[in-house]
Amino acid sequence: GKYRGEDLRSATLALTGTLPFSEHWGAVAKLGASGNRTKFHDSSDHTDLLIGLGLQYSMSKNVDLRLMYEDFGKVTKADGYS
């Protein structure tokens, strides 16, 4: 979104897998690619690795509650400038 004229956007494509611990609890993992675009003083447009880990609680057959940590990679180019 935008903040004081600055802009940051990310689009992702990932595979998500679950590993059940019990009837209700399980682990969640995500792996894919993140396309990051920044517009500060200059623009940066690049793709980076997306990883995620978390826990899942199955509330019912059709409803799961997830707590996830996701890393979208670097926000700016590798040289540190946007």
Side-chain angles (χ1 to χ4, degrees):
K2 291 190 176 198
Y3 176 74
R4 295 186 180 182
E6 312 298 341
D7 194 21
L8 171 63
R9 297 182 189 268
S10 184
T12 63
L13 178 64
L15 297 173
T16 303
T18 58
L19 177 64
F21 296 143
S22 68
E23 181 181 346
H24 294 285
W25 290 96
V28 182
K30 183 182 280 193
L31 181 65
S34 174
N36 301 311
R37 180 180 201 158
T38 59
K39 185 178 181 186
F40 297 109
H41 300 299
D42 295 321
S43 291
S44 173
D45 218 351
H46 65 282
T47 303
D48 215 335
L49 179 68
L50 165 70
I51 58 172
L53 295 172
L55 291 174
Q56 173 176 297
Y57 179 77
S58 296
M59 299 175 70
S60 70
K61 180 180 175 183
N62 297 319
V63 178
D64 293 333
L65 180 64
R66 288 183 178 176
L67 177 64
M68 297 280 302
Y69 167 80
E70 295 178 347
D71 185 338
F72 293 86
K74 299 276 186 195
V75 175
T76 59
K77 292 180 185 175
D79 62 8
Y81 298 99
S82 60

